[in-house]
Amino acid sequence: MAQQTGGNSRSRLHQIGSLFANRNERSAATEESSLEVDVVDSVRDVEKTQWNEIVERSSRGSVFHRYEWLEAIETGLGYTPRHLVVTKDGNTIGGMPNFVVEIEKTPFDRLSSLYPGFGGPLLPTDTEASLERVIDAIPRLCRGRTIVHQIRGLDMSYLRYNDALQTHGYRPYRRECRFLLDLTKGYDELLEGMSRSRRRGIEHGQDVDYEVVEEEITRENLRRFHRTYEGVMDRVGGAVYPFSFFNELRAMEDRLLLLTIRINGEYAGGMLELLDDEHETVHGFFAAVPRAYFDDHASELLYDHVFQWGIEHGYETYDFGSTNTNFEDGVYRFKEGFGGSPVPVLVWERGCSPLWPLVKAGRSLYWPYYTEVS
């Protein structure tokens, strides 16, 4: 159910003034007063088509804002939604998705927009007034064990909100980056821009008997991929998303690309990519190649295939996903070798509890390269 958190009726003065105003004009104060911000405890309380239309109208809307992604997080991961929906004169004009998620290595939670993925406000109209209302609503959502609100912006366009966010107590920090590959260069130039080790990996991989197949998004194919993904994550000590999340993603199959590689006729892993048509970007979100196929360069062959697939289908960018900003890290070096440009992941945090400074101080012990930007 929706819970109203903002909005004021027009004052008597504004009502009288409106009698003398041009019928096609409204004062800024009157427009602002008609805005309402509601909290919804399930994305299913929002009309699907209406929400996705806002995503598509906003220049910052992405596949991670879409109704289907939010529903998969809610039902497949079991995260608690605390979405904010902005309405004007009864019409939905914007919003900001949020989920309550655990803070690593603590008994506390954070309100995140958005995890997994990237979020932030979608305010294509009445931006200034809507942003003010949305920010004002946040403290009421951070109670009990929820001690901080976090915004994870997808791209540099979210810098437009930096001053407003910092004015309201948000602090930016950087810990992660993403490598972006410009697919508009064409395949030959991409190959030329790779490190010698990446090019050699692709060349040596092409000497083996291999095949990369675009799979249908079926429960069986996702189950096979998930088993491999689970094994890889267990080996590296990473967090594993349950199969229920992958299965829920079937509702957005037109935004998924599932690739399988077979070497000598045997299943050798795969990739599950997200197609961000709003930004003409392919997001490399899940990859799973068993160690047994490292020497066959299965990973390089999969990436080589998805780059060519993206070019052929008119996408402009390949996004390798988040990685730590440590050049000594193996994942960082592997992604860097494909020639992409590193860009910071924009994150802002706003403490909502006296406990937050203590948790933030403790975080620096297990995130030694945590950096807050003043």
Side-chain angles (χ1 to χ4, degrees), residues 80-101:
T80 301
R82 289 291 183 267
H83 307 315
L84 296 176
V85 176
V86 183
T87 59
K88 180 178 180 180
D89 299 328
N91 299 312
T92 301
I93 64 168
M96 181 164 68
N98 296 281
F99 286 97
V100 178
V101 299

Side-chain angles (χ1 to χ4, degrees), residues 3-24:
Q3 174 186 350
Q4 192 176 103
T5 66
N8 299 312
S9 60
R10 289 192 290 174
S11 67
R12 180 65 177 168
L13 178 61
H14 286 150
Q15 292 176 9
I16 295 174
S18 67
L19 297 175
F20 299 95
N22 185 294
R23 179 175 298 181
N24 296 321

